Amino acid sequence: MAIAEPIYELVTSFPQDQAREILTFAESIRAKYLNGNQPSSKVAPVPWAELVYSLAASWAEGFPTLEDIRANSGQDILQ
């Protein structure tokens, strides 16, 4: 704890609002390093084609064609 003592002495000489700012900064540094060491819980990416084929069955009935969508919109939606 050799570094904590000079930091403490310096911070105690500051006005309350500046000391609070230093505390906020120190907390953000701690959060940055804590979050960087956490294991990632990301889901493995799925290739685009595999995603489309996996969802294809849900689109089988009643999914509008591009022509249906254009007819109902009254304009060319691709522009």
Side-chain angles (χ1 to χ4, degrees):
M1 288 277 184
I3 192 68
E5 292 172 12
I7 293 172
Y8 175 77
E9 290 175 17
L10 181 63
V11 172
T12 55
S13 69
F14 288 166
Q16 189 72 21
D17 60 330
Q18 291 176 356
R20 191 171 293 114
E21 189 174 341
I22 291 172
L23 176 62
T24 301
F25 177 70
E27 288 171 340
S28 70
I29 291 174
R30 180 178 57 182
K32 174 183 166 184
Y33 287 101
L34 284 176
N35 291 339
N37 293 329
Q38 297 297 321
S40 177
S41 63
K42 293 182 181 177
V43 176
V46 176
W48 178 251
E50 186 178 330
L51 175 64
V52 169
Y53 288 123
S54 71
L55 296 173
S58 63
W59 297 338
E61 293 293 325
F63 192 77
T65 65
L66 183 56
E67 290 76 22
D68 294 336
I69 295 170
R70 286 183 176 168
N72 292 334
S73 70
Q75 60 184 358
D76 188 359
I77 62 170
L78 296 179
Q79 294 181 348

